[in-house]
């Protein structure tokens, strides 16, 4: 057997060798994750618009229209029904259609992207979709929602906690989330059995109304605009 043939045979991993095949697959997937991690470090030096992601199921047309008039892009899950309210509010502002963004996940029981999305992205997995929300957003607004909204809130909160996100306000609107934050403070900060730090519970900004939320976004956006000018 020639050296070339010998090398070719030794370089092959056969599917019948399950252990070797799994090991190769794990190495390849880990390598792909590293590539994705490196590529998502890129950021534009300057951007035209500040981007607000809205998680949850409440109808927010008036609030999102106000944010869009302020100069914000609006990002939502992009789906139909209750999710389309955020996009509809942004879309209602003249000449702002492209500033209404939807980031969807491909599920068999979900309908097409809602008609008020001007720019749509679609993911096959929740993992990549959630990551897209995190790297695209300048602020998170969480209104009452279900288990999916809780997942989105938790990821944003954790990334802010460990400083993988910076200067990105996490604004939670309504009693449902204020009670969750209070539950966490009561359950995780028990003396002698602390599971978190007091500062972790200052990360979410708990507000009762959309007007309070808009005011917080306006304040943070002003600081963001100043940083864009300084670049």
């Amino acid at each position: 057997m020639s050296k070339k043939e010998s090398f070719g045979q030794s370089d092959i991993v056969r599917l019948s060798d399950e252990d070797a095949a799994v090991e190769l697959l794990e190495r390849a997937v880990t390598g792909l994750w590293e590539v994705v991690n490196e590529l998502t470090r890129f950021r534009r030096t300057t951007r035209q618009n500040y981007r607000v992601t809205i998680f949850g199921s409440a109808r927010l047309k008036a609030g999102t229209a106000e944010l869009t008039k302020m100069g914000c892009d609006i990002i939502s899950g992009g789906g139909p029904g209750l999710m389309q309210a955020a996009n509809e509010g942004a879309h209602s502002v003249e000449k702002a259609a492209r500033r209404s963004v939807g980031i969807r996940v491909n599920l068999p029981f979900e309908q097409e992207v809602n008609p008020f999305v001007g720019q749509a992205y679609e993911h096959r997995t929740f993992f990549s979709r959630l990551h897209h929300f995190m790297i695209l957003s300048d602020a998170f607004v969480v209104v009452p929602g279900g288990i999916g909204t809780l997942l989105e809130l938790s990821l944003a909160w954790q990334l802010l906690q460990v400083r993988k996100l910076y200067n990105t306000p996490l604004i939670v609107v309504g009693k449902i989330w204020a009670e969750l934050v209070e539950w966490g403070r009561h359950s995780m900060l028990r003396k002698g059995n602390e599971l978190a730090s007091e500062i972790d519970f200052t990360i979410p900004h708990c507000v009762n109304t959309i007007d309070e939320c808009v005011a917080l976004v306006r304040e943070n956006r002003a600081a963001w605009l100043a940083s864009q000018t300084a670049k």
Side-chain angles (χ1 to χ4, degrees):
M1 181 180 293
S2 68
K3 289 184 179 180
K4 183 176 181 180
E5 289 172 333
S6 177
F7 173 78
Q9 290 294 321
S10 64
D11 198 43
I12 289 173
V13 176
R14 299 190 183 280
L15 292 175
S16 57
D17 186 348
E18 187 172 329
D19 289 341
V22 169
E23 182 182 352
L24 175 60
L25 180 61
E26 288 177 346
R27 283 204 311 271
V29 170
T30 300
L32 287 174
W33 285 343
E34 286 300 316
V35 170
V36 171
N37 287 337
E38 289 297 313
L39 291 176
T40 55
R41 292 170 61 194
F42 282 115
R43 296 293 187 277
R44 292 180 64 92
T45 303
T46 59
R47 282 189 286 107
Q48 183 176 1
N49 295 326
Y50 181 92
R51 299 176 296 205
V52 180
T53 291
I54 298 177
F55 295 130
S57 297
R59 293 192 175 275
L60 293 172
K61 284 189 286 186
T64 52
E66 181 65 26
L67 291 171
T68 307
K69 289 175 183 176
M70 188 194 303
C72 301
D73 291 349
I74 301 298
I75 304 169
S76 83
L82 294 174
M83 270 195 295
Q84 88 176 32
N87 293 119
E88 187 174 357
H91 194 274
S92 68
V93 177
E94 187 179 2
K95 298 180 181 178
R98 291 289 294 173
R99 289 162 54 196
S100 176
V101 181
I103 303 178
R104 290 175 37 76
V105 64
N106 186 9
L107 295 174
F109 51 82
E110 285 219 358
Q111 300 173 32
E112 295 299 316
V113 64
N114 77 65
F116 300 102
V117 168
Q119 186 175 4
Y121 300 93
E122 186 161 308
H123 291 262
R124 291 188 179 184
T125 68
F126 282 100
F127 166 78
S128 62
R129 177 179 181 250
L130 285 168
H131 188 58
H132 197 172
F133 278 126
M134 297 302 119
I135 65 174
L136 204 63
S137 308
D138 297 306
F140 301 103
V141 174
V142 188
V143 297
I147 300 298
T149 306
L150 178 60
L151 174 64
E152 292 152 352
L153 162 60
S154 299
L155 181 58
W157 192 348
Q158 184 189 35
L159 292 178
L160 287 163
Q161 177 201 26
V162 298
R163 298 183 179 277
K164 292 296 184 180
L165 290 177
Y166 298 89
N167 301 323
T168 309
L170 174 60
I171 306 167
V172 296
V173 185
K175 185 178 178 182
I176 180 176
W177 304 124
E179 288 181 345
L180 175 70
V181 173
E182 188 53 38
W183 167 83
R185 180 180 282 109
H186 174 75
S187 302
M188 299 179 192
L189 298 180
R190 291 179 179 174
K191 191 172 182 181
N193 191 33
E194 292 86 352
L195 302 173
S197 301
E198 178 65 41
I199 195 170
D200 296 335
F201 294 95
T202 66
I203 293 172
H205 301 272
C206 299
V207 301
N208 294 316
T209 68
I210 295 301
D211 287 343
E212 293 174 274
C213 168
V214 170
L216 286 172
V217 171
R218 189 184 304 278
E219 180 182 349
N220 188 261
R221 179 176 175 273
W224 176 85
L225 284 172
S227 71
Q228 293 287 296
T229 304
K231 290 176 181 178

